[in-house]
Amino acid sequence: AGVSVDAGSKVNVVTSTGNIVVPNVVGNSQAQANATLSNLGFQVAVVNQVDATHPAGTVLAQAPTANTKAKKGSLITITVASTSSTNGVSSPPRANAPGNPDSVVQPPNQPDGPAQTP
């Protein structure tokens, strides 16, 4: 880029197919793997798997596998060690998500009964 050549000179042009080599993130923490893959332009999905032999949050597997090529923006799924039976694809919790009673946000220090006046 930014180089002038004489008329009639041979010029090699390299074009990108948009494919990027998928790095190996197995053994990394979920945060490290997510940052690495996101910085390369991939989308990341997380599947939790109960595993008593690895620390929670450790990446156990990935798909597609390392050193394969994938298009920028494609989905890379990482399987992460978990200590509880929360199998399935995880996503960030949303406050007051419909149909999810566990996500209801309660104001702190709310009395259980009617307010009492002194």
Side-chain angles (χ1 to χ4, degrees), residues 22-38 42-49 57-64 75-81 88-90:
V22 177
N24 183 13
V25 295
V26 173
N28 291 354
S29 70
Q30 179 180 345
Q32 286 174 313
N34 193 30
T36 298
L37 295 168
S38 295
F42 294 117
Q43 300 293 317
V44 181
V46 177
V47 176
N48 292 309
Q49 177 178 316
T58 302
V59 177
L60 304 173
Q62 67 183 73
L75 183 67
I76 308 295
T77 301
I78 58 175
T79 302
V80 177
V89 177
S90 75

Side-chain angles (χ1 to χ4, degrees), residues 48-51 82-88:
N48 292 309
Q49 177 178 316
V50 176
D51 187 312
S82 172
T83 57
S84 64
S85 59
T86 57
N87 288 342

Side-chain angles (χ1 to χ4, degrees), residues 15-23 36-44 63-65 67-77:
T15 59
S16 173
T17 61
N19 288 332
I20 302 169
V21 175
V22 177
T36 298
L37 295 168
S38 295
N39 287 340
L40 289 172
F42 294 117
Q43 300 293 317
V44 181
T65 58
N67 300 317
T68 57
K69 291 186 178 181
K71 288 204 178 286
K72 185 175 182 177
S74 61
L75 183 67
I76 308 295
T77 301

